[in-house]
């Protein structure tokens, strides 16, 4: 009697579909979502491809692990993911944790070796051909074009600059800001962020530290790409924040930024509570109605 093929938990034919919540604000979930909704990009696969998790659900109430999913009707391995209770729905999938970066050295159905892990749209895929060709100069120049202005740039001091590295590392980290000062502030900040982008892009190499592409890179790039893989900025040893280039907010005020990059200003009223304001000027004006803020302002002036 032939042995049964092992079931691929998460990609079980005729299995039970799990609810997928695309982000923490999704209250309802769905049994199938698109790669685009999950903010995941896979080379050669349409952004509209449906992602489903079909399982042979274990008995009991405990959560369990899934190792595969159906993407566009085809089985695809993923980094091991545990089900979770989301908004009261037990044994659900947290879509923001779905990670198809895991790729074995052999395809699921074949023997072709993989060089790169799959990743989101901001994984720096544009740099891969130059990295493979060991053309580090060209890769660096292209990486600098993947740098964007920081949402906090309006609060940067004159003769300073602040930009953002838009490429993430293999774990979705290090899309962070870099600064520059002086006459070449913007050029310097862009170069720093571009170098981080290049290092982050390299971290998507399968088994990076032993990958032949990585081993052919310069020692400096190997060193900083290794830091990126570990979730550290290349300048982490000397990085002390951005306060030296950022203007202080007015006394008695604070500002927060939401995920869309929209600022919300607040002022501290006479009771000591933080109240929302229309903008920076409105927050500063209302804060100065607080006697304690007035007294602190006078002390500073003296």
């Amino acid at each position: 009697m032939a042995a049964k093929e092992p079931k691929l938990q998460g990609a079980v034919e005729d299995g039970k579909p799990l609810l997928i919540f695309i982000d923490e604000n999704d209250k309802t979930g769905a049994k199938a979502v698109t790669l685009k909704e999950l903010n995941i990009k896979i080379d050669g696969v349409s952004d509209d491809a449906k992602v489903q998790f079909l399982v042979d659900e274990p008995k009991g109430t405990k959560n369990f692990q899934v190792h595969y999913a159906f993407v566009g009707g085809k089985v695809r391995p993923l980094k091991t993911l545990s089900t979770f209770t989301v908004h009261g729905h037990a044994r659900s999938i947290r879509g923001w944790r779905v990670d198809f970066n895991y790729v074995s050295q052999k395809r699921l159905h074949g023997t072709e070796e993989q060089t790169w892990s799959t990743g989101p749209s901001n994984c720096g895929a544009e740099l891969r051909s130059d990295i493979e060709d060991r053309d580090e100069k060209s890769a660096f120049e292209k990486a600098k074009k993947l740098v964007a202005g920081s949402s906090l740039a309006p609060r940067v001091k004159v003769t300073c600059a602040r930009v953002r590295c838009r490429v993430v590392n293999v774990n979705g980290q290090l899309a962070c800001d870099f600064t520059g000062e002086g006459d070449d502030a913007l050029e310097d900040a862009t170069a720093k962020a571009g170098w981080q982008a290049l290092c982050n892009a390299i971290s998507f190499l399968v088994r990076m530290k032993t990958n032949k592409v990585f081993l052919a890179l310069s020692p400096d790039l190997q060193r900083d790409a290794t830091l990126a893989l570990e979730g550290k900025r290349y300048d982490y040893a000397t990085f002390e924040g951005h306060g030296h280039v950022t203007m202080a907010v007015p006394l008695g005020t604070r500002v927060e930024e939401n995920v869309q990059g929209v600022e919300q200003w607040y002022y501290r009223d006479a009771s000591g509570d933080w109240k929302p304001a229309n903008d920076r000027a409105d927050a500063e004006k209302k804060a100065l109605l607080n006697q304690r803020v007035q007294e602190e302002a006078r002390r500073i002036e003296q």
Side-chain angles (χ1 to χ4, degrees):
M1 183 176 177
K4 292 182 179 179
E5 291 187 6
K7 292 183 178 180
L8 306 178
Q9 192 65 299
V12 177
E13 293 287 352
D14 300 322
K16 178 181 177 180
L18 298 179
L19 277 179
I20 307 169
F21 292 80
I22 59 175
D23 58 39
E24 293 170 310
N25 297 317
D26 181 2
K27 306 294 185 182
T28 57
K31 294 180 180 179
V33 298
T34 64
L35 285 173
K36 185 176 182 179
E37 288 174 313
L38 292 175
N39 195 30
I40 294 175
K41 192 172 185 64
I42 300 177
D43 292 342
V45 181
S46 169
D47 291 343
D48 295 324
K50 292 288 186 180
V51 178
Q52 292 178 290
F53 291 86
L54 303 184
V55 301
D56 184 7
E57 195 168 37
K59 294 181 180 179
T61 58
K62 291 184 178 180
N63 287 302
F64 56 93
Q65 294 183 334
V66 294
H67 308 280
Y68 300 87
F70 282 114
V71 180
K74 296 182 178 180
V75 177
R76 182 171 288 271
L78 71 153
K79 187 174 291 186
T80 298
L81 181 69
S82 293
T83 61
F84 200 77
T85 299
V86 184
H87 299 306
H89 297 274
R91 293 183 164 188
S92 297
I93 295 293
R94 293 168 288 179
W96 61 96
R97 295 288 187 92
V98 174
D99 186 355
F100 291 110
N101 288 325
Y102 170 78
V103 184
S104 63
Q105 277 299 99
K106 294 185 178 180
R107 293 184 186 274
L108 192 62
H109 303 296
T111 58
E112 184 180 348
E113 290 187 354
Q114 303 297 298
T115 300
W116 297 94
S117 299
T118 56
S121 58
N122 58 337
C123 67
E126 305 93 322
L127 313 178
R128 291 181 177 180
S129 60
D130 284 336
I131 294 170
E132 291 179 13
D133 293 338
R134 298 173 61 185
D135 191 345
E136 296 181 14
K137 181 177 180 181
S138 176
F140 179 47
E141 290 302 316
K142 291 179 181 178
K144 288 191 288 186
K145 295 179 181 179
L146 301 179
V147 172
S150 168
S151 60
L152 299 177
R155 297 207 296 276
V156 170
K157 297 176 182 177
V158 178
T159 73
C160 295
R162 181 168 178 170
V163 299
R164 188 166 185 81
C165 163
R166 293 192 295 116
V167 177
V168 296
N169 74 351
V170 70
N171 294 313
Q173 305 165 314
L174 298 179
C176 48
D177 284 8
F178 290 84
T179 59
E181 300 177 78
D183 295 338
D184 300 319
L186 182 58
E187 182 180 347
D188 291 345
T190 300
K192 295 174 185 176
W195 183 258
Q196 186 67 60
L198 178 55
C199 296
N200 290 351
I202 293 169
S203 74
F204 282 88
L205 285 167
V206 172
R207 286 193 283 274
M208 187 194 79
K209 293 182 181 180
T210 58
N211 193 298
K212 62 183 181 180
V213 174
F214 173 80
L215 296 175
L217 298 175
S218 65
D220 286 350
L221 201 47
Q222 286 187 20
R223 177 197 65 216
D224 292 345
T226 299
L227 290 174
L229 183 66
E230 296 171 353
K232 298 177 182 177
R233 298 166 57 110
Y234 81 88
D235 61 350
Y236 85 99
T238 57
F239 178 64
E240 296 181 348
H242 307 295
H244 60 295
V245 302
T246 305
M247 293 183 290
V249 298
L251 287 173
T253 71
R254 64 183 174 90
V255 61
E256 295 179 356
E257 184 179 0
N258 64 20
V259 293
Q260 286 78 36
V262 178
E263 290 185 347
Q264 173 61 62
W265 283 85
Y266 297 86
Y267 69 94
R268 190 185 291 276
D269 68 4
S271 68
D273 294 332
W274 289 103
K275 300 293 180 65
N278 296 326
D279 50 31
R280 177 187 174 122
D282 184 47
E284 184 174 14
K285 177 181 178 181
K286 291 176 177 177
L288 287 173
L289 298 176
N290 183 338
Q291 186 174 356
R292 292 182 179 178
V293 174
Q294 295 176 16
E295 293 173 354
E296 186 176 355
R298 282 196 294 270
R299 285 198 300 271
I300 293 174
E301 289 178 358
Q302 294 172 354

